[in-house]
Amino acid sequence: MLPPTVIRTCPSADNDFQPLSEYQAQTPDTFFDGKPVLYYHDENVKAWVSAEQHERLYFFSKASEDGSESLNPTPPECYALENNGGKHLREERIEAFVASSKLILFSHKSGTGIEIPYPAITLHAIKNFRHVEKPDDASFKFIGVYMQLEFSSSGGDDDETFDPIELTLIPYKQSSTETPVVDPLNTERATALFNQISACSNLHPDPQDEEDEDEEGDDFDRIVFEGNAEGEAIEGLPGAFRGDINGGLPPPMPGSSGWITADNVDQYFDEDGNWIGEDGVSGELGDGAGRVRGRDEVDEDGANGVENGEDVDSKRPRTE
């Protein structure tokens, strides 16, 4: 997994990203560069993580030595936590940016933030909370986005060393009164946050484990393009060849059914729209492609699949 990137300057939602509505309303000028798309933005989010793990996220502030400033969860959301209001947790108020490139969390109090690669989010879900002492009181019910983050390179291969960071994000409402209340729009905001994290995670699939594929690659047969000289023919399936151990299809060719998407278009076309192919694939079509045969050529070769001189009664004649 990729580690997070520590940042010292908060991004600007207006200047550093392209709004999702604008991105969806028009065709991008280019797939080669441009600002990341901002799927969701929330300026008031509480981040909860355990006391043992909070320093691994870098953006948490330091508690004051005299205890005047605590990092413990704050009301009213802390009333939903066990252990005397969540004394085992640490809280930091952050600004959240769900961008197409990374999930960005920034604390204005500490002046520090992190950019989290989406493959590092190994699990995310909606988590429901309610008042510990008043579980039926609807005014204290709220939800958050629970995530498990894995920044180490070992991942979850070793269960004994697998220690994901458990992070919960709670959209909250800033209150000017002495008695803070749960944001009535908490459910709507937290659901939007979860949905857009899911959407951006789908843009960044988990990288495949190459070692596992080396071991298991021989167990899978895949259909590839006819004429792939490197593939091994599959017995009983003319024109079908065994896929490579990396699990990839062969490079798309003009006239083939290979997929060219926004994610890989730069591998096949330059910025002027000229076909450049991939791995030596030629951009030229075969002889006769795109040309309409004249009737005189058809008559010379015979009609209806019958060569000149063959028994014309063997096939149904052409009708004008």
Side-chain angles (χ1 to χ4, degrees):
M1 296 298 178
L2 296 176
T5 300
V6 179
I7 58 176
R8 303 297 181 181
T9 303
C10 182
S12 169
D14 297 327
N15 300 323
D16 295 331
F17 304 96
Q18 181 181 14
L20 178 61
S21 58
E22 178 181 312
Y23 175 77
Q24 294 175 331
Q26 61 186 9
T27 303
D29 294 332
T30 176
F31 292 105
F32 295 88
D33 52 24
K35 298 178 181 179
V37 179
L38 184 60
Y39 278 67
Y40 184 76
H41 174 230
D42 199 320
E43 295 181 339
N44 299 306
V45 178
K46 293 182 178 181
W48 289 350
V49 72
S50 70
E52 296 77 19
Q53 296 179 326
H54 77 285
E55 292 185 351
R56 295 169 61 187
L57 290 179
Y58 304 102
F59 59 76
F60 274 81
S61 305
K62 301 294 183 181
S64 60
E65 296 181 359
D66 58 5
S68 59
E69 291 188 17
S70 171
L71 296 182
N72 293 331
T74 56
E77 291 81 11
C78 69
Y79 299 143
L81 298 173
E82 301 283 353
N83 191 19
N84 194 21
K87 298 298 183 182
H88 59 295
L89 297 177
R90 297 293 179 264
E91 175 183 287
E92 188 76 12
R93 301 189 181 197
I94 62 170
E95 186 173 355
F97 302 82
V98 184
S100 57
S101 54
K102 295 179 180 180
L103 172 64
I104 304 172
L105 308 177
F106 191 89
S107 167
H108 293 277
K109 182 179 180 181
S110 67
T112 305
I114 59 173
E115 298 178 341
I116 303 175
Y118 287 104
I121 305 175
T122 58
L123 184 150
H124 64 288
I126 292 289
K127 187 173 183 177
N128 293 283
F129 295 90
R130 61 182 64 193
H131 199 294
V132 173
E133 299 178 356
K134 306 174 184 178
D136 297 328
D137 189 342
S139 64
F140 284 97
K141 293 182 180 180
F142 61 95
I143 64 176
V145 179
Y146 169 83
M147 294 185 290
Q148 289 187 359
L149 310 177
E150 177 54 55
F151 296 142
S152 69
S153 59
S154 60
D157 296 338
D158 189 348
D159 292 337
E160 295 182 357
T161 60
F162 183 56
D163 183 27
I165 299 174
E166 297 184 80
L167 172 67
T168 302
L169 301 179
I170 313 281
Y172 73 96
K173 177 182 180 181
Q174 288 187 330
S175 178
S176 58
T177 63
E178 295 182 359
T179 305
V181 296
V182 172
D183 182 16
L185 298 178
N186 162 268
T187 298
E188 178 181 337
R189 293 166 62 194
T191 300
L193 176 62
F194 170 80
N195 289 338
Q196 299 305 353
I197 290 176
S198 299
C200 291
S201 294
N202 291 335
L203 300 176
H204 301 268
D206 293 339
Q208 296 178 338
D209 191 329
E210 295 182 359
E211 293 183 1
D212 290 343
E213 288 196 354
D214 289 341
E215 296 175 359
E216 301 176 3
D218 294 337
D219 297 334
F220 296 92
D221 290 336
R222 296 179 176 84
I223 303 300
V224 300
F225 300 116
E226 185 173 3
N228 186 335
E230 298 178 359
E232 177 184 351
I234 301 177
E235 184 177 357
L237 294 175
F241 299 85
R242 191 180 303 277
D244 59 34
I245 61 174
N246 292 324
L249 290 173
M253 298 181 295
S256 75
S257 59
W259 292 102
I260 300 178
T261 68
D263 294 328
N264 65 7
V265 65
D266 59 314
Q267 301 175 17
Y268 304 102
F269 295 92
D270 61 22
E271 296 188 11
D272 296 325
N274 300 313
W275 173 265
I276 59 176
E278 184 188 44
D279 297 335
V281 176
S282 171
E284 299 183 1
L285 301 175
D287 294 339
R291 182 172 64 85
V292 179
R293 300 178 66 189
R295 180 167 180 173
D296 54 341
E297 295 180 86
V298 176
D299 291 339
E300 291 177 1
D301 295 337
N304 302 315
V306 179
E307 296 293 337
N308 292 331
E310 294 184 359
D311 185 1
V312 295
D313 293 333
S314 62
K315 292 199 179 276
R316 183 175 178 180
R318 180 181 63 193
T319 59
E320 298 295 340

